[in-house]
Every structure is written in structure tokens, then in C-alpha cells.
Amino acid sequence: MTMGTQLQTINLNLPIGSLDAYIQRAGQIPLLSASEERELAIQFRRDNNLEAARRLVMSHLRFVVKIARGYMGYGLSLADLVQEGNVGLMKAVKRFDPEVGVRLVSFAVHWIKAEIHEFILRNWRIVKVATTKAQRKLFFNLRSSKKHLGWFNKNEVDDVAAKLDVKPKTVVEMEARLYAHDAAFDGGNTDDSRDFSPSRTLADNSMDPAKLLESEDFQAKNKSRLYEAFAKLDSRSQIILQKRWLNENKTTLQDLAKEFSISAERIRQLEQQAMQKIKSSLQ
């Protein structure tokens, strides 16, 4: 078992089902001193000591909650954000090197935020709002850069673009994506004639005479080819397919075996061979 797999099995041993109880319990877990943290990190890296890794994770859960609270403006539950942040924390513990000389909390912030960022981008909208690195940076900084609830004016667009090192056009496009709302395809249950949902703007081609004629012609040709393929089968195979597939009351393999004085397995083989011949003729 790899170190990564083992790390995922760490039991956090915290209340399940109540987020408030979880947060309260996480806040009661004692923080580690720098020497304790270093010793535990060494034990985990050197001996793969999972208990040491568990203590490192547990002592930093409160920081995950604090970071996750900062991302509650995206319509996602705090519980889900905390869960994703905990994944980032465990990844940080796995990669933490105590010999570098920094505290785990400073190192883990990047991993916690990265995991939460990925979760938000995967789940916040049906349509991707940010794909490139620059777009992701803009996505998570745009809200904090806004000075009011309305749209940016030109000066504000230029200021944000300069601050985040992107083009003004990119700021305008991202603002439109960020504050747009996902629309229901069918507009919900409404008789309002002013409903502008996508389903009301798409053309209905199901009753197009040309398409109907094309569909009928296609079905007629396929039906004719099927009859021709069926007629090429030997009489026994025709009877088997007729009774097994075409009659309203289907005949069992056992009944056909008695009728032809052969085994049910042989009936099954003949059925499959006949079906394959028809399939080949229709290709």
C-alpha cells in the first residue's frame, strides 16, 4: 500500500452529521508547538507513521474551516467546502518537509485553497467560467475587487485589469460570466407568454414534411431489407426467430428444443447464428 493510499485512511474521529458540532470539536483540538509539529512530520516521512500524520491533520482542521468560510459566496455548502479543504490539508501533510524550516500551516494554505478552488470551478456553474490560469486568478479576485454591486465602469475595469495583470476585455468578459445566472432549459411550469427560456426559442422540426417523408422512406427501405435477409435463412432458423422474436407469445428455448428434438443450447446457437446473418445482410 502506498503512502498516499494509507494517508486517505486516516480516521479524523470527529462528529458526523452536524457541521456545527464538527466545527466546535475541531476548534477544541490543541495546536501543536513548532517542535511537536517537526517531530511528528519527521516520524511520518521517515517511518510512515500514520498516527503522526493523523495528529498533524487534526491539529490543523480549524484552519481549513477558517479558509473555507471565505468561499461561502459561491452558493456551495460550507460542509462541502470544508471537506474539499480537508483533502487539500491531507495532501499538504503528505508533501510537507520539516527540514525546510516553515510551519505546516503556511505550507498547507496553498493546498487547501487549491482543492477548494477546483471544487468551486467544477460545481459552481454548468458552463465553465474559468479555464486558463489567468481566468482562474481573475475569477477568485473579481468579487473582492468590486467597489459596488452594479457593473464596473471603465475606470474600474482598467484598475482591476492593471491590478490582476490581465486585459480590460478579459475583466468585462469574466464579470459577465461571474454574475450571469444558469437558466432552466424549459423555463419551469409556467404559462407566461413572455417566457424566454431556451426551449421556446428552438425550432421544432418534428413535423417538417420533408423530414417526415425522409424518415418514412428510410424505415420502409430498412423493413424491405429485413424481409429479404429473413427470407435467405433456412426454414428452421426462420421458425426459431419467428417464435422467439416475432410472435406475440414468445416460445421458450426448451419448447423449441422439444419441437426439433435437439438441445436447448443448440436452439440458442441457431438463434444467434440467424441473428448474425441478418445483421451482416443489413450492414
Side-chain angles (χ1 to χ4, degrees):
M1 182 181 294
T2 64
M3 185 184 303
T5 303
Q6 289 178 317
L7 184 56
Q8 293 175 1
T9 64
I10 295 174
N11 179 15
L12 298 183
N13 196 27
L14 288 175
I16 297 176
S18 171
L19 179 61
D20 291 338
Y22 172 91
I23 293 175
Q24 182 179 8
R25 179 69 184 91
Q28 295 173 350
I29 299 173
L31 296 175
L32 298 172
S33 65
S35 59
E36 289 174 328
E37 178 180 290
R38 185 175 187 279
E39 179 60 29
L40 290 171
I42 291 174
Q43 290 178 22
F44 179 52
R45 286 180 66 88
R46 182 186 61 199
D47 306 324
N48 200 24
N49 186 327
L50 289 185
E51 175 59 25
R54 188 187 74 85
R55 289 187 60 191
L56 288 170
V57 171
M58 296 283 284
S59 65
H60 288 80
L61 293 178
R62 67 178 68 190
F63 297 110
V64 174
V65 174
K66 181 179 180 181
I67 294 172
R69 287 186 189 276
Y71 293 91
M72 292 182 62
Y74 295 96
L76 300 172
S77 71
L78 179 59
D80 287 339
L81 295 172
V82 170
Q83 177 176 303
E84 294 300 319
N86 286 341
V87 173
L89 173 60
M90 287 188 283
K91 289 182 178 181
V93 169
K94 176 185 174 183
R95 293 166 174 80
F96 181 60
D97 184 357
E99 303 299 337
V100 173
V102 298
R103 295 296 299 269
L104 175 58
V105 65
S106 300
F107 177 76
V109 165
H110 164 76
W111 292 96
I112 295 170
K113 288 186 175 181
E115 209 67 29
I116 293 176
H117 286 184
E118 287 297 324
F119 175 72
I120 292 173
L121 291 174
R122 287 196 311 268
N123 295 276
W124 195 57
R125 288 279 166 80
I126 296 175
V127 179
K128 298 291 185 181
V129 295
T131 54
T132 67
K133 184 177 180 180
Q135 287 176 339
R136 293 184 180 209
K137 178 182 178 182
L138 180 58
F139 178 86
F140 287 106
N141 285 278
L142 191 56
R143 287 193 176 198
S144 60
S145 299
K146 289 184 69 66
K147 298 178 181 178
H148 52 75
L149 296 178
W151 290 94
F152 278 146
N153 59 39
K154 185 178 184 304
N155 291 335
E156 289 172 335
V157 169
D158 293 338
D159 289 343
V160 172
K163 179 180 177 181
L164 301 179
D165 193 25
V166 295
K167 297 180 180 179
K169 179 182 178 182
T170 304
V171 176
V172 175
E173 291 176 351
M174 182 56 69
E175 187 184 24
R177 295 184 194 180
L178 187 61
Y179 294 99
H181 297 283
D182 294 331
F185 176 78
D186 58 4
N189 295 324
T190 176
D191 295 327
D192 190 352
S193 60
R194 294 172 297 175
D195 178 14
F196 298 107
S197 59
S199 63
R200 290 182 176 264
T201 62
L202 297 178
D204 181 8
N205 297 319
S206 60
M207 301 305 293
D208 185 337
K211 290 186 177 296
L212 289 175
L213 182 60
E214 180 183 356
S215 177
E216 292 175 1
D217 184 57
F218 179 77
Q219 293 179 12
K221 287 184 177 179
N222 279 343
K223 190 173 183 180
S224 176
R225 293 176 61 200
L226 180 60
Y227 283 145
E228 291 177 1
F230 186 82
K232 293 178 181 178
L233 298 175
D234 60 86
S235 59
R236 183 171 62 176
S237 295
Q238 290 182 8
I239 293 173
I240 291 174
L241 290 187
Q242 179 73 39
K243 293 188 175 183
R244 286 283 292 159
W245 294 94
L246 303 180
N247 290 353
E248 183 175 350
N249 297 320
K250 305 297 186 293
T251 305
T252 65
L253 293 174
Q254 288 72 20
D255 289 341
L256 285 171
K258 292 178 181 179
E259 179 178 344
F260 290 102
S261 299
I262 55 179
S263 66
E265 175 60 22
R266 180 55 181 159
I267 293 293
R268 186 190 66 80
Q269 293 174 357
L270 291 171
E271 179 186 21
Q272 288 184 340
Q273 291 172 4
M275 295 289 285
Q276 185 58 44
K277 288 179 181 178
I278 289 178
K279 182 178 178 181
S280 299
S281 298
L282 295 177
Q283 290 178 349

